[in-house]
Amino acid sequence: MTRQQMDDLKGQGRYGTFLQQICQFYLQYHRETYGMEAMFLHDPTAFAGVIAPECFTWKVGAVRVVTEGLACGATIMDLGNKTWNSPNGWMNRPHVRVAIDVDAERLTRLIYNRLKL
């Protein structure tokens, strides 16, 4: 969400001014860290995946999280494009549904409109 969108929340709905004020820290963090006049909306985006799944492109597959080495913390997914013919760490893993793309404009509009209530 852009700084302008956050500023526009001031005076909107029950919590617009409060949200605009408490998000200043996050906006400053994103400016200093990423050089952008906006902030990522991780938690509202996760919730939007439940209430508005049409905002996302979804894939189903096995997911693993790297726990060691240079890629520690990276999430990787087996999309099932390959048939495994020998035992490995992907076999017998449960499949989950993962959002791999988002209609950012639509999602931001959805979140912004909810925040104005």
Side-chain angles (χ1 to χ4, degrees), residues 25-81:
F25 168 81
Y26 297 106
L27 286 165
Q28 180 180 341
Y29 168 79
H30 284 82
R31 181 183 328 109
E32 292 171 0
T33 305
Y34 300 103
M36 59 189 227
E37 291 295 325
M39 63 183 195
F40 298 121
L41 300 171
H42 297 110
D43 294 344
T45 298
F47 183 67
V50 175
I51 65 168
E54 65 278 4
C55 289
F56 302 89
T57 301
W58 300 89
K59 294 280 186 176
V60 175
V63 173
R64 304 290 308 257
V65 177
V66 179
T67 59
E68 298 176 355
L70 184 61
C72 187
T75 304
I76 53 177
M77 183 175 193
D78 175 14
L79 295 171
N81 297 329

